Amino acid sequence: MPAKNKELASIFTQIADAIELKGETGFKVLAYRRAARALVDSAEDVVNLDKESRLESITGIGSGIARKIHEYLATGRMKKHQEAISGLPEGLFAMLELQGLGPRTVRLLYEKLKVNNLEDLKRTIADGSAASLPGMGVRKVSTILKSIQLSEKSGKRMFLNEAAELAESVIHRLKNDPNISNITAAGSLRRGKETVGDIDILTTGKNPKEIVKNFTSHPSVRQILAAGTTKASVLFETRTGLRQVDLRIIDASSYGAALQYFTGSKGHNIALRSLAQKKGLKISEYGVFRGKKRVAGKTEKAVYTCVNLPYIEPELREDRGEIEAAAKGKLPRLVELKNIKSDLHMHTRQSDGKNSVEEMVAACQKLHYTHIAITEHSVSAGYAGGLTADELMRHCDRVDRFNAHSKGFKILKATEVDITTSGKLDYPDKILARLDLVVASIHQGFKKNVTERVCAALKNPLVHIIAHPTGRLIGKREGYDIDLDKVIETAARFRKILEINAYYGRLDLNDIWARKAKQANVKLSINTDAHAVKNLDWMKYGILVARRAWLTRNDVINCLSTSKLLKFLKTGI
Ligand code: DGT
Ligand code: CA
Ligand code: CA
Ligand code: ZN
């Protein structure tokens, strides 16, 4: 949606809300709401409409509204807006965002109980005064309380797994709609971004109205924000709160152009459009145009072909040099899930995992891996059932026995050894020397010389991989104070491997740092750190990070065959 359409729509909505809060009802309120809807639904930029004095050609915009739009575009202000909101506490508008709380109720709370904001509202719910207002009652209040709790949970962006699962469930249901021919997720989810704000779904098909109806009647939809003839925005209830999903129904002739546009990122789109302009072309969500003539639009690839570029994978579309690389024919051939032959960091019941070695093996064989590493925690990770040196040696004996009888699938003898607060490893070298793979990581002393300790581990000839190098937990913990440039430089010097931890709450290294590691000739390893069979499919999230980091299969040691990996671990080549 053009930026000014969006801006003006929210201004008109706020006017409607404000005058309703002040007691206005009827057609004036409706007129402002209708104008807001019309601006959202319009395919044309309100700026152009205003310039060409065509505002009133849009249904829902009369002369009064048109004048106000013009005033706002010309001066950056709208008198009616300022007048409408004056005297109203800002907190009232935030309350209106809650489901089950309309202007009439907010007004009642404001006038009778001096409720100015969400905090006041929570207080009056807790002390029972809200429920005792006329027309309120316990049931209504409990609905409002649930909305507050949901909206507090929804404040943050979604983890990649939640976004992927939500999109999948919406798409799965709509796929049964005979009206729909194509359906796919776009936006940040398609780019594999580590967190997702809202879900953008594009479809083609007949009877768009029916498709919208089908979409908005999904049983998990809690609120319909907008529902037009070719698009709709709704809030779904998920485990973590209310999440926005946008659906757009596109004409088949524009599907590629729309997919390109709504996949973003915004930065990538802007760069692509300016390249097109230099070639006398205009790219929009409807197609690629030379003057009035559409020269492409059906497929995404054709959009890129128009500006003499090869197809650019969604994960690369972040305006981080992908357009220049594409122009020079230097795009990397990105690693894919199907290239992965192993998962090299996982836990079983022997330490803090949920499943047995046998169960993890069976699950990994189903994934067509040829080998895995079981990496239990070490001695001082007592909280996580860390293995004593003896226990680790007995585990290795069992692995040797398994491998002696196993064809086409090997378990690597391995550990996830703690880098202790003193900077030493948690097992003596003679124990580590028996292992095929040593994964080292920090689990304690987050503030104690982390860079030095990690670099010391990298210098130990027995160490291969540093797991989750920054220790961040997305949205929860910043990560250690670590000098990653120095870690990467040290890893490069000693031919060591850095992990992309595929757990959706870690994704550590992230895309930016994994790319820097590659540029410094450091190999990466994508691992799930699974603590149960069902965690093994997090690999796909690690792959997305790797692709966003421009990695090819040659950068990722999980793509090596068993023998090549074992040789690499021994010799560094
Ligand atoms: P999110 O939802 O915050 O994780 O990020 P996105 O990238 O999914 O952003 P969203 O949902 O606001 O919009 C989806 C795509 O639509 C976005 O990646 C690029 C395109 N888009 C949206 N607004 C604009 C805009 O104002 N200008 C341009 N060039 N593209 C836009
Ligand atoms: Ca989005
Ligand atoms: Ca969106
Ligand atoms: Zn682990």
Side-chain angles (χ1 to χ4, degrees):
M1 183 190 334
K4 289 291 172 195
N5 291 38
K6 208 171 184 167
E7 220 171 290
L8 276 155
S10 71
I11 288 175
F12 285 127
T13 303
Q14 203 174 46
I15 295 177
D17 288 342
I19 61 178
E20 256 194 302
L21 285 171
K22 288 179 174 170
E24 184 91 54
T25 51
F27 85 95
K28 276 194 184 157
V29 177
L30 278 178
Y32 288 114
R33 294 209 190 281
R34 208 168 50 216
R37 264 283 288 284
L39 287 167
V40 170
D41 285 340
S42 165
E44 287 195 78
D45 193 331
V46 70
V47 175
N48 297 335
L49 289 169
D50 178 49
K51 256 189 225 143
E52 296 159 15
S53 306
R54 288 194 294 123
L55 284 168
E56 286 174 63
S57 69
I58 296 188
T59 324
I61 296 187
S63 60
I65 298 279
R67 228 175 306 128
K68 292 186 177 67
I69 292 176
H70 181 76
E71 177 196 351
Y72 183 74
L73 291 175
T75 67
R77 292 146 61 95
M78 192 189 295
K79 227 173 85 203
K80 176 72 198 179
H81 179 228
Q82 287 164 340
E83 195 183 290
I85 62 173
S86 83
L88 292 172
E90 222 172 289
L92 299 187
F93 295 97
M95 285 165 61
L96 285 173
E97 310 260 307
L98 293 174
Q99 197 197 347
L101 204 54
R104 214 175 319 148
T105 312
V106 172
R107 182 167 172 232
L108 185 73
L109 288 158
Y110 172 57
E111 286 182 345
K112 302 273 184 230
L113 299 176
K114 298 204 165 42
V115 170
N116 283 327
N117 51 43
L118 274 175
E119 288 315 307
D120 293 348
L121 177 59
K122 280 198 271 188
R123 183 175 39 74
T124 57
I125 290 175
D127 68 18
S129 53
S132 63
L133 285 178
M136 286 292 274
V138 178
R139 268 190 56 191
K140 184 154 183 194
V141 165
S142 89
T143 312
I144 295 172
L145 186 59
K146 191 164 169 247
S147 307
I148 297 176
Q149 287 160 346
L150 265 173
S151 91
E152 284 176 347
K153 277 204 289 181
S154 322
K156 297 182 191 135
R157 295 168 64 83
M158 280 174 269
F159 282 141
L160 201 42
N161 72 319
E162 184 187 358
E165 282 161 22
L166 175 54
E168 235 161 74
S169 99
V170 175
I171 289 174
H172 182 77
R173 183 182 138 107
L174 286 179
K175 270 204 168 140
N176 293 327
D177 185 331
N179 289 308
I180 287 181
S181 10
N182 293 301
I183 179 158
T184 187
S188 53
L189 174 60
R190 183 162 181 246
R191 302 198 309 279
K193 205 170 160 187
E194 63 190 29
T195 60
V196 172
D198 70 2
I199 310 258
D200 306 279
I201 294 185
L202 302 188
T203 72
T204 60
K206 47 186 198 306
N207 302 325
K209 265 191 182 157
E210 286 289 310
I211 298 176
V212 166
K213 212 165 114 197
N214 190 354
F215 172 66
T216 54
S217 61
H218 188 292
S220 299
V221 168
R222 288 293 162 273
Q223 197 178 329
I224 300 174
L225 302 172
T229 45
T230 58
K231 64 181 171 190
S233 280
V234 301
L235 296 179
F236 273 75
E237 184 171 350
T238 73
R239 279 175 281 121
T240 65
L242 292 177
R243 299 302 190 179
Q244 185 170 334
V245 182
D246 295 342
L247 177 81
R248 288 182 184 80
I249 300 134
I250 315 285
D251 195 76
S253 59
S254 303
Y255 192 54
L259 192 53
Q260 198 290 318
Y261 180 85
F262 290 110
T263 295
S265 67
K266 199 169 160 178
H268 174 86
N269 287 355
I270 290 170
L272 192 69
R273 274 156 189 58
S274 81
L275 181 66
Q277 257 167 19
K278 286 183 200 137
K279 297 184 191 292
L281 295 165
K282 187 169 174 282
I283 302 182
S284 77
E285 57 199 281
Y286 301 102
V288 184
F289 297 87
R290 187 178 296 284
K292 288 240 176 306
K293 188 173 180 307
R294 172 161 43 199
V295 291
K298 227 173 166 164
T299 69
E300 242 185 344
K301 187 156 193 290
V303 172
Y304 286 101
T305 305
C306 277
V307 284
N308 295 329
L309 293 180
Y311 177 75
I312 300 177
E313 299 282 359
E315 294 92 334
L316 297 179
R317 301 183 197 169
E318 293 292 346
D319 194 23
R320 294 179 186 155
E322 70 278 8
I323 290 178
E324 295 78 353
K328 289 188 202 139
K330 292 231 156 82
L331 284 177
R333 180 151 175 209
L334 299 179
V335 62
E336 295 176 57
L337 188 56
K338 66 173 194 228
N339 303 143
I340 295 292
K341 296 189 164 73
S342 61
D343 193 336
L344 301 174
H345 179 173
M346 68 182 73
H347 302 269
T348 76
R349 276 209 288 271
Q350 298 179 117
S351 64
D352 60 347
K354 298 262 183 319
N355 291 98
S356 65
V357 173
E358 291 74 19
E359 286 163 339
M360 296 305 268
V361 165
C364 288
Q365 286 174 327
K366 262 202 201 136
L367 296 171
H368 303 290
Y369 294 163
T370 53
H371 52 282
I372 58 170
I374 304 279
T375 52
E376 311 292 14
H377 292 285
S378 57
V379 202
S380 57
Y383 58 92
L387 272 52
T388 63
D390 267 0
E391 286 167 335
L392 177 59
M393 288 303 99
R394 264 179 284 145
H395 164 75
C396 288
D397 294 340
R398 284 194 297 273
V399 168
D400 280 338
R401 284 200 294 278
F402 171 91
N403 285 337
H405 294 102
S406 167
K407 283 211 180 69
F409 189 91
K410 290 259 176 291
I411 304 177
L412 270 56
K413 286 172 286 186
T415 179
E416 177 177 14
V417 64
D418 257 46
I419 301 170
T420 63
T421 40
S422 70
K424 290 215 175 64
L425 296 178
D426 203 16
Y427 290 121
D429 282 359
K430 72 171 197 303
I431 296 290
L432 297 177
R434 187 178 168 193
L435 305 174
D436 301 311
L437 171 67
V438 174
V439 178
S441 62
I442 299 248
H443 287 109
Q444 44 186 317
F446 291 178
K447 293 205 160 73
K448 281 193 182 160
N449 309 324
V450 178
T451 308
E452 289 72 23
R453 287 155 65 206
V454 167
C455 288
L458 286 166
K459 287 174 191 163
N460 183 328
L462 295 165
V463 169
H464 300 102
I465 300 178
I466 300 294
H468 43 74
T470 78
R472 71 136 172 201
L473 296 176
I474 297 173
K476 297 200 176 96
R477 185 171 84 198
E478 279 288 343
Y480 339 120
D481 185 10
I482 189 168
D483 180 348
L484 275 183
D485 285 311
K486 186 138 184 237
V487 169
I488 288 174
E489 183 196 307
T490 311
R493 185 143 56 96
F494 293 92
R495 293 175 175 278
K496 297 300 163 75
I497 301 146
L498 296 178
E499 183 180 71
I500 295 173
N501 193 286
Y503 165 50
Y504 56 80
R506 285 193 186 267
L507 301 177
D508 177 14
L509 294 178
N510 68 10
D511 50 358
I512 306 263
W513 285 105
R515 188 170 174 200
K516 285 197 187 173
K518 173 197 164 111
Q519 285 164 342
N521 281 321
V522 173
K523 300 276 185 219
L524 292 124
S525 181
I526 313 173
N527 301 311
T528 61
D529 201 352
H531 284 68
V533 160
K534 63 173 195 289
N535 305 154
L536 290 164
D537 68 28
W538 293 341
M539 186 59 81
K540 59 188 175 216
Y541 305 124
I543 291 284
L544 287 171
V545 173
R547 291 167 64 84
R548 290 173 60 82
W550 296 48
L551 304 192
T552 70
R553 58 195 294 177
N554 295 327
D555 300 311
V556 179
I557 64 160
N558 306 67
C559 301
L560 293 171
S561 68
T562 313
S563 57
K564 286 215 171 108
L565 175 66
L566 286 171
K567 177 168 170 269
F568 181 77
L569 294 174
K570 282 212 180 76
T571 63
I573 42 174

